[in-house]
């Protein structure tokens, strides 16, 4: 369980190890990139630029800015970042193939999205649910920056089920991952981000 009582970033590396990076109380900028000297160093992700994005505190709020620093863009809650974005507790950040979660314990968001520790793992998913989840994430194997989740038809063809059966399983997965209350156009993106972030789907699976 997390014991950090200041804002922090959480992410899972390619080996499946979870990291929590406390953001400095001084408000000093936090660099994110592939460079070894970045505060959040994602050296093993080839889709990440050497200096990809910067987290900066503005007043009492943390923000993230890309401003053309990266080649492949930065995404917050599935939307490509343009300029500066004020972060809210529970925001998901995708940089290259890496998914990060921003949390501020002092400002709970009420967001129904669960912490990674509470997310389903491989053991809590049925074989069919996991196959559907992998198929949903499949487009992110080669083009994570611009990919979109697989369509119901593409999933159905891959797992040899009907489209209606896929929809039923997806509704169950939305509930398990705590995204059922999100707007319809955000559910699938958030499910992909959480599946990859939690390790329920790994790069090897894709």
């Amino acid at each position: 369980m997390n014991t950090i009582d200041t804002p922090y970033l959480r992410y899972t590396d390619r080996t499946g190890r979870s990291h929590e990076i406390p953001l400095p109380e001084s408000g000093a900028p936090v660099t994110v990139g592939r460079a070894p000297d970045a505060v959040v160093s994602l050296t093993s992700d080839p889709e990440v630029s050497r200096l990809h994005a910067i987290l900066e505190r503005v007043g009492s709020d943390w923000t993230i800015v890309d401003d053309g620093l990266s080649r492949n863009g930065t995404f917050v809650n599935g939307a490509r970042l343009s300029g500066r974005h004020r972060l809210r507790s529970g925001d998901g950040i995708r940089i290259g193939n890496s998914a990060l979660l921003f949390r501020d314990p002092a400002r709970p968001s009420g967001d129904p999205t669960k912490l990674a520790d509470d997310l389903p793992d491989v053991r809590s998913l049925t074989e069919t649910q996991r196959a559907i989840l992998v198929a949903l994430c499949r487009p992110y194997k080669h083009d994570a920056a611009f990919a979109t989740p697989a369509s119901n038809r593409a999933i159905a063809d891959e797992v040899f089920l009907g489209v209606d059966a896929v929809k039923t399983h997806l509704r169950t997965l939305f509930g398990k991952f705590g995204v059922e209350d999100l707007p319809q156009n955000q559910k699938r993106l958030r499910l992909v981000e959480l599946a990859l972030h939690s390790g329920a789907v790994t790069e090897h699976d894709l």
Side-chain angles (χ1 to χ4, degrees):
M1 294 293 292
N2 168 64
T3 58
I4 300 175
D5 58 4
T6 58
Y8 65 93
L9 287 175
R10 173 183 288 172
Y11 71 96
T12 302
D13 64 25
R14 295 179 70 178
T15 69
R17 182 183 174 191
S18 182
H19 301 263
E20 290 182 348
I21 310 294
L23 301 183
E25 293 185 16
S26 66
V30 174
T31 54
V32 184
R34 203 173 72 251
D37 59 352
V39 176
V40 181
S41 183
L42 305 171
T43 56
S44 61
D45 191 335
E47 300 295 326
V48 174
S49 299
R50 284 185 60 79
L51 176 57
H52 198 107
I54 299 175
L55 275 74
E56 296 178 325
R57 196 169 72 184
V58 177
S60 59
D61 294 312
W62 278 95
T63 67
I64 185 168
V65 59
D66 186 321
D67 256 356
L69 291 172
S70 71
R71 183 173 183 179
N72 293 320
T74 299
F75 296 77
V76 178
N77 298 331
R80 184 162 185 157
L81 182 64
S82 176
R84 186 182 300 273
H85 175 86
R86 184 175 65 180
L87 291 167
R88 295 178 300 173
S89 187
D91 277 349
I93 303 166
R94 180 160 58 84
I95 291 177
N97 294 307
S98 302
L100 302 93
L101 187 70
F102 171 78
R103 283 288 177 184
D104 185 349
R107 297 185 178 187
S109 63
D111 189 328
T113 300
K114 301 176 182 179
L115 284 168
D117 288 345
D118 301 323
L119 291 172
D121 59 17
V122 173
R123 294 169 297 179
S124 65
L125 300 173
T126 68
E127 184 176 340
T128 300
Q129 287 170 352
R130 189 159 185 276
I132 287 174
L133 203 54
V134 170
L136 180 74
C137 299
R138 184 84 62 194
Y140 290 78
K141 179 176 183 178
H142 299 298
D143 191 10
F146 301 104
T148 57
S151 67
N152 290 340
R153 170 51 62 190
I155 296 171
D157 290 344
E158 178 172 333
V159 301
F160 304 106
L161 288 175
V163 171
D164 287 342
V166 168
K167 290 179 179 178
T168 297
H169 284 294
L170 281 174
R171 282 195 293 270
T172 300
L173 288 166
F174 292 151
K176 283 195 170 191
F177 281 83
V179 300
E180 69 270 33
D181 293 330
L182 291 179
Q184 191 62 37
N185 64 342
Q186 295 182 23
K187 286 182 182 180
R188 298 167 75 90
L189 279 170
R190 191 66 174 138
L191 180 57
V192 167
E193 290 179 346
L194 291 173
L196 294 171
H197 175 73
S198 67
V201 175
T202 67
E203 184 176 336
H204 178 73
D205 294 323
L206 305 180

